[in-house]
Amino acid sequence: MKLYFRRIRPKLLNEIIMSINEKHQTRSAPGFSYVTILGALRHSNLWIKTYVYCCYVGTIFWLVLPIVYRDRSLPLACWYPFDYTQPIVYELIFFLQAMGQIQVAASFASSSGFHMVLSILMSGQYDVLFCSLKNVLATSYLKMGATMAELSNLMEAQSVADAEVNQFSYCQEVCTPLKKLRDQQETSHIRDFPGAFRHSFRRCLEQHQYIIRTLYAMENFYNPIWIFKIGEVTFLMCLVAFVSTKSTTANSFMRMVSLGQYLLLVAYELFIICYFAELIYQNSQRCGEALWRSPWHLHMRQVRSEYLFFLMNSRRQFRLTAGKIYNLDVDRFRGTITTAFSFLTLLQKMDSRG
């Protein structure tokens, strides 16, 4: 995984990181309400910490078992052309396997963890875009220097959309008092509504283009990894489940707990890949809904062409894929688990026949 990140695709990886650092919006446009990316950052920190802890706890559990049993066994049962139970030799082999297991945990955490953080950050950008689209007319009014009465009428018309729940994935919407909004109004040379609207709407279009470009870069970077990962997860889930059913040693209970923990970790990684890809797909469908939340009917003739242009372009849904073959979503998660246990049933039947 480190080879892929740092040697095979380092240029694309750096482009993604630089694009986020330079163009990431931290706050929605001025309006009757706003959101910031703090909610997305808080959720990304929570998810990545939980995932990294799970990866390393699972690894440490495998390493602790031989120490607890004191049977001079190894974390991973391997054949060596010498007696590895001899003093010093056993400690050296144990240390090398421990380093290998820690590298496996780091590989789990780096590949899927980075994908998870990027997906949450992009979902936060969608939230910022949704709020900007919802308040695009209010932003235009502020740009053209509208009076308090005009802002009050527009706010009353837009308040109908506030009754809708679950408008944002991670960010928390905060209302701005009308008087405070009026005080924050910036001086502008634009005094007509069409000019102010085009200026405000252009910012929304630029942010939407930035999100789509970043998602396409994520797709190009990750789709070779995910086609390999789905095959790996299918194989590992089948193999670990088969080994756990064949475990008959005296220490079988703890071994089965360890294998079960590893099985859950593999399933958790697949869930992260599929769930956050599904979240990106759902957000890509909701741009038009966010635009309809604005009181567009008040200026239908002036905004009709821009609205139709955006709605037509936002209908193109974005999907993350595995090797451009499978769509990554919750159905893929369920299908992969079903495939793995179908292979498990086949292995058990072959084993029963001797």
Side-chain angles (χ1 to χ4, degrees):
M1 198 59 65
K2 290 181 179 179
L3 184 66
Y4 183 84
F5 272 60
R6 291 301 180 186
R7 293 294 180 264
I8 300 177
R9 306 297 292 274
K11 184 177 179 181
L12 183 56
L13 176 63
N14 291 332
E15 288 177 359
I16 294 173
I17 296 175
M18 288 179 61
S19 176
I20 291 175
N21 289 335
E22 293 174 1
K23 300 180 181 179
H24 211 68
Q25 297 289 331
T26 59
R27 187 189 187 278
S28 61
F32 299 130
S33 61
Y34 69 93
V35 299
T36 65
I37 61 169
L38 292 179
L41 291 176
R42 184 169 58 253
H43 279 86
S44 67
N45 289 334
L46 177 62
W47 275 94
I48 192 62
K49 286 180 180 179
T50 303
Y51 182 57
V52 170
Y53 290 158
C54 288
C55 290
Y56 283 99
V57 165
T59 300
I60 293 172
F61 192 84
W62 274 80
L63 300 178
V64 165
L65 282 180
I67 300 175
V68 171
Y69 289 131
R70 298 183 180 180
D71 55 359
R72 301 191 73 81
S73 61
L74 293 173
L76 297 175
C78 298
W79 178 84
Y80 292 97
F82 52 83
D83 185 7
Y84 63 82
T85 60
Q86 297 296 321
I88 300 178
V89 176
Y90 173 76
E91 285 76 10
L92 178 61
I93 298 298
F94 187 94
F95 174 77
L96 293 176
Q97 285 202 2
M99 292 297 101
Q101 284 291 91
I102 292 174
Q103 289 294 316
V104 170
S107 177
F108 268 103
S110 63
S111 60
S112 304
F114 185 56
H115 161 79
M116 175 174 58
V117 170
L118 284 179
S119 298
I120 295 176
L121 291 180
M122 287 299 103
S123 296
Q125 285 300 283
Y126 268 119
D127 287 347
V128 171
L129 175 62
F130 294 162
C131 192
S132 297
L133 289 171
K134 175 182 176 180
N135 290 277
V136 65
L137 295 185
T139 308
S140 304
Y141 271 44
L142 292 173
K143 183 70 66 175
M144 70 178 189
T147 63
M148 185 69 73
E150 292 173 329
L151 288 172
S152 179
N153 293 333
L154 183 66
M155 185 177 186
E156 183 179 356
Q158 184 173 308
S159 62
V160 177
D162 295 335
E164 183 180 350
V165 297
N166 299 326
Q167 297 183 23
F168 307 102
S169 298
Y170 292 109
C171 299
Q172 185 71 34
E173 187 177 22
V174 179
C175 295
T176 306
L178 196 59
K179 184 177 180 181
K180 182 179 180 181
L181 188 64
R182 190 71 172 85
D183 295 338
Q184 294 176 351
Q185 190 174 14
E186 299 178 0
T187 57
S188 174
H189 64 280
I190 304 176
R191 292 301 174 184
D192 61 310
F193 175 79
F197 174 75
R198 283 193 294 269
H199 185 273
S200 303
F201 198 61
R202 188 183 301 116
R203 289 188 58 188
C204 297
L205 294 177
E206 290 173 353
Q207 187 182 5
H208 186 244
Q209 291 172 354
Y210 152 70
I211 294 172
I212 296 299
R213 283 196 301 268
T214 305
L215 291 178
Y216 273 112
M218 283 178 58
E219 161 70 10
N220 292 332
F221 182 79
Y222 269 111
N223 78 80
I225 299 177
W226 294 153
I227 189 65
F228 167 77
K229 185 68 70 174
I230 287 179
E232 176 195 7
V233 168
T234 304
F235 173 76
L236 286 178
M237 292 183 72
C238 175
L239 184 62
V240 171
F242 180 74
V243 171
S244 64
T245 59
K246 297 288 290 182
S247 181
T248 58
T249 62
N251 301 330
S252 61
F253 175 74
M254 291 303 296
R255 294 293 180 185
M256 287 182 65
V257 170
S258 182
L259 289 171
Q261 187 183 39
Y262 190 72
L263 183 64
L264 289 176
L265 182 59
V266 172
Y268 185 34
E269 182 189 27
L270 180 63
F271 172 77
I272 283 174
I273 296 170
C274 296
Y275 171 75
F276 287 104
E278 174 87 12
L279 187 64
I280 291 293
Y281 167 69
Q282 292 179 356
N283 281 325
S284 69
Q285 296 178 298
R286 299 172 58 197
C287 294
E289 298 176 11
L291 190 59
W292 286 124
R293 295 188 188 109
S294 65
W296 54 271
H297 55 279
L298 299 179
H299 298 276
M300 183 171 60
R301 297 179 64 181
Q302 294 103 318
V303 304
R304 180 175 56 186
S305 59
E306 286 84 357
Y307 269 48
L308 289 176
F309 173 79
F310 183 82
L311 291 172
M312 291 296 293
N313 282 274
S314 64
R315 290 177 62 184
R316 293 183 293 179
Q317 303 155 354
F318 183 86
R319 280 189 178 275
L320 293 171
T321 66
K324 299 189 181 297
I325 300 174
Y326 303 110
N327 291 326
L328 292 176
D329 50 28
V330 177
D331 289 335
R332 175 53 48 192
F333 172 72
R334 182 169 55 249
T336 303
I337 293 179
T338 302
T339 302
F341 282 94
S342 296
F343 283 127
L344 172 63
T345 303
L346 179 62
L347 278 177
Q348 288 176 329
K349 288 183 179 179
M350 293 175 62
D351 182 67
S352 63
R353 294 176 182 177

